[in-house]
Amino acid sequence: MLRRSLENRDAQTRQLQDAVTNVEKHFGELCQIFAAYVRKTARLRDKADLLVNEINVYASTETPHLKQGLKNFADEFAKLQDYRQAEVERLEAKVVEPLKAYGTIVKMKRDDLKATLTARNREAKQLTQLERTRQRNPSDRHVISQAETELQRATMDATRTTRHLEETIDNFEKQKIKDIKVFRHSLYPQDYSSRLDIVRANSKSPLQRSLSAKCVSGTGQVLTCRLRKDHQTEDDDEEDEDLDVTEEENLLK
């Protein structure tokens, strides 16, 4: 009966190990991807700031009507970057940092698992020793009694560590579910959608009013500038990808 109990507890421990390993794997991947997303969003914000500056510089060389339209567009576009900056800050504080903390949490759970496995191995060893003693010296009550006492101590220790492991893993699972819900709700402030809708509504008309005449004229200045900057962005992204590989590999170390 004791042998069967040991086997059942070993199966339970393997399930707990799998649960911790699963979190370690997927939370690590999520942390790396979220961190990469934050970095790229921050770089996009920086590029947008450069774009706003360039539009303002260009606006200063145009006629008053087009100048005002360009500046209105630049102002609205700059407001969008404020939301992008808020997104970067919220993701970093509310998602990336908590996910990074799970590296330490998982390590602690693995230490608990290790302690439990050590106690159970000691119990299994004492049980095997008692069985051998009974077979070899069935009439030596003193030796058998000592072996039974050692087994009892090992069983009590294994039971204690198992109970502690069950409690800590249960708390771990509850905290994981709670944190995942927090991650979801922390991505955006409560009034994010309504404020963003307002910005979107206000940012359409300046662009349409300000650039339609210039595009029809066939000068192609804005398009040329966009193509040139897109080409530059592609080069920058290629360099960024090389940097991202190293950064993501070292993120949770």
Side-chain angles (χ1 to χ4, degrees), residues 20 74 82 94 98 108 116 122 126 164 175 189 232 239 249:
V20 172
D82 293 338
K94 302 294 185 178
M108 294 173 59
T116 300
R122 187 182 303 113
Q126 291 298 330
H164 172 73
Q175 186 64 41
Q232 180 180 359
E239 296 176 0
E249 289 177 348

Side-chain angles (χ1 to χ4, degrees), residues 100-131:
K100 288 169 63 176
Y102 267 84
T104 301
I105 295 174
V106 167
K107 183 179 182 301
M108 294 173 59
K109 303 311 171 188
R110 288 203 176 280
D111 290 340
D112 292 336
L113 282 166
K114 182 179 180 180
T116 300
L117 289 173
T118 299
R120 290 182 179 177
N121 289 337
R122 187 182 303 113
E123 181 185 20
K125 181 179 179 181
Q126 291 298 330
L127 177 60
T128 300
Q129 183 174 344
L130 174 60
E131 292 173 343

Side-chain angles (χ1 to χ4, degrees), residues 59-88:
S60 65
T61 67
E62 281 292 351
T63 60
H65 178 72
L66 183 55
K67 176 181 179 180
Q68 186 59 46
L70 287 169
K71 285 188 172 295
N72 289 340
F73 169 67
D75 290 342
E76 298 298 336
F77 195 67
K79 292 178 182 178
L80 287 177
Q81 309 321 308
D82 293 338
Y83 288 102
R84 184 166 281 121
Q85 173 63 22
E87 179 188 18
V88 168

Side-chain angles (χ1 to χ4, degrees), residues 43 47 231-241:
R43 287 196 288 268
K47 294 294 185 181
H231 180 70
Q232 180 180 359
T233 301
E234 291 176 359
D235 293 340
D236 292 343
D237 287 342
E238 291 178 359
E239 296 176 0
D240 292 340
E241 289 297 332

